[in-house]
Amino acid sequence: MKNLKKQKKLMINVMSSPGSGKTTTLLRTIERLQGITRIGVMECDIDASVDAVTIENGGAKAIQLHTGGMCHMDAAMTQQGLNEMGMDDVDLIFIENVGNLVCPAEFDTGASINITILSVPEGDDKPAKYPLVYTVSDVVLINKIDTLPVFDFNKELVEQRIHELNPNAKIICLSAKTGEGMNEFIQWIKENKNN
């Protein structure tokens, strides 16, 4: 994995609760980067291959990794996934980590960047309840902002809580469903892909 930077390949670890929109966010990202960069996705689940099929149908290379009951990925699993997926035809690799706000934050996957997705329906108290995942994240995506009128969600309070834990975290508000805010996220990826 140390060779990825030399090969100008970027690996991003994506963490969140189940149902926060990891797969949909990745699909929208793939759509916007098609023809610009070659994407590979390691789908990590305790069981099933639904997300890997969805990602492949969305136009990216995908491999399903079953964690054998473990609620996280680690660097050894990541290396195994990279070996199985093959690196010759990908430039940007996403790890869609197991849906969990506790375990994935405790393990180094070998990724250069950690992203956490927090969806509006989950509530604005998640950074207070699960601080470690926000502390280790370079970027926090607040997803499903199209549902703000429906839920009691204080965006300013969430941003304050995140920055108290991690002053350097980049916060991007978006809706993977409607596309709002996705351009800012794609621009961020492009800038970091070239660094």
Side-chain angles (χ1 to χ4, degrees), residues 33-84:
L33 290 174
Q34 228 150 33
I36 298 169
T37 192
R38 302 171 300 170
I39 298 175
V41 179
M42 287 187 274
E43 288 291 343
C44 312
D45 289 299
I46 291 170
D47 205 353
S49 300
V50 176
D51 290 340
V53 171
T54 301
I55 291 293
E56 278 190 344
N57 290 340
K61 187 174 187 178
I63 183 170
Q64 184 70 53
L65 301 175
H66 294 124
T67 61
M70 291 194 293
C71 59
H72 67 274
M73 281 286 291
D74 60 27
M77 293 180 204
T78 300
Q79 187 62 63
Q80 180 185 355
L82 292 173
N83 292 344
E84 289 180 27

Side-chain angles (χ1 to χ4, degrees), residues 76-107:
M77 293 180 204
T78 300
Q79 187 62 63
Q80 180 185 355
L82 292 173
N83 292 344
E84 289 180 27
M85 185 168 65
M87 299 303 299
D88 292 341
D89 56 352
V90 294
D91 305 306
L92 176 60
I93 306 105
F94 287 99
I95 301 168
E96 185 175 341
N97 216 316
V98 178
N100 186 314
L101 285 177
V102 181
C103 302
E106 297 176 356
F107 293 87

Side-chain angles (χ1 to χ4, degrees), residues 20 26 45 56 66 77 83 87 146 151 156 169 184 191:
S20 65
L26 289 175
D45 289 299
E56 278 190 344
H66 294 124
M77 293 180 204
N83 292 344
M87 299 303 299
D146 53 305
F151 293 94
E156 290 73 25
E184 183 181 355
E191 288 168 4

